[in-house]
Amino acid sequence: AQSVTQLDSQVPVFEEAPVELRCNYSSSVSVYLFWYVQYPNQGLQLLLKYLSGSTLVESINGFEAEFNKSQTSFHLRKPSVHISDTAEYFCAVGDFDGATNKLIFGTGTLLAVQP
Amino acid sequence: EAQVTQNPRYLITVTGKKLTVTCSQNMNHEYMSWYRQDPGLGLRQIYYSMNVEVTDKGDVPEGYKVSRKEKRNFPLILESPSPNQTSLYFCASSFGSGPSYEQYFGPGTRLTVT
């Protein structure tokens, strides 16, 4: 069975500091990995995804994640965070076995950016 | 504007009183699904639908029903709500099934059952 582990429930960080949100996955089939962001009182938005090809994927707002098959990880990083990055971040692995189009989510990491 | 809408956004109800949470998308998506979000558990899929009149159970379907009579709508029905269904519910849709199809999420419905 596929699963996702986000070890950190909350990550406090000062503005302009770098941050890494950790994600480890377990999958016995093809690996499709996603990061979603949930701003306060909003739905989830896709931040970035890894489907195949280059193991380093980037978002339009400066986040990046690297697929590491040997360590079964897909950590999210940003070199310099802003107050506006405060949100909850969910890592997910995709289960696309024919009839299903399911995302299996981790428990989420709250990124709290402080001035 | 392309979007997934849910109504109501907030609902407080009592045990046993039937309720429906509506979900509608204007993107002509074939695939729709419902998730519930609980602290420490992340999001878990309740039901999904590949197309009109085609629905199937997700990971936590107990106590829920769905229907898909029109392509754009996918209501979630709680026939007899119980306190353990207090949660934040999200509807999602995508054009097709597969990793290339981005799933779009609604704004969420916060349900409290007393």
Side-chain angles (χ1 to χ4, degrees), chain A residues 38 43 90 99 101-103 107, chain B residues 31 37 40 50 59 94 98 103:
Chain A
Q38 184 180 27
F90 291 92
N101 200 39
K102 183 170 62 179
L103 293 170
T107 52
Chain B
Y31 185 92
Q37 181 183 11
M50 300 292 289
D59 294 323
S94 61
Q103 293 201 35

Side-chain angles (χ1 to χ4, degrees), chain B residues 25 28-30 32 52 68-73:
Chain B
Q25 50 89 9
N28 200 35
H29 284 173
E30 289 194 345
M32 298 184 74
V52 175
R68 188 90 182 273
K69 293 184 170 53
E70 304 168 280
K71 198 171 188 178
R72 64 184 295 133
N73 296 322

Side-chain angles (χ1 to χ4, degrees), chain A residues 69-83:
Chain A
K69 188 174 182 178
S70 63
Q71 302 205 356
T72 60
S73 68
F74 191 55
H75 301 331
L76 182 69
R77 302 184 181 95
K78 189 170 185 179
S80 176
V81 295
H82 303 289
I83 295 286

Side-chain angles (χ1 to χ4, degrees), chain B residues 6-67:
Chain B
Q6 295 179 227
N7 283 292
R9 294 288 312 280
Y10 302 90
L11 178 60
I12 301 174
T13 189
V14 296
T15 299
K17 185 176 181 181
K18 181 180 178 179
L19 66 91
T20 299
V21 182
T22 65
C23 171
S24 182
Q25 50 89 9
N26 62 0
M27 297 171 278
N28 200 35
H29 284 173
E30 289 194 345
Y31 185 92
M32 298 184 74
S33 63
W34 277 102
Y35 290 84
R36 60 177 288 175
Q37 181 183 11
D38 300 291
L41 296 176
L43 284 82
R44 295 173 293 168
Q45 192 182 61
I46 303 171
Y47 267 95
Y48 64 93
S49 169
M50 300 292 289
N51 212 326
V52 175
E53 301 293 1
V54 181
T55 63
D56 208 345
K57 297 177 181 178
D59 294 323
V60 288
E62 294 77 21
Y64 304 95
K65 284 176 55 177
V66 293
S67 68

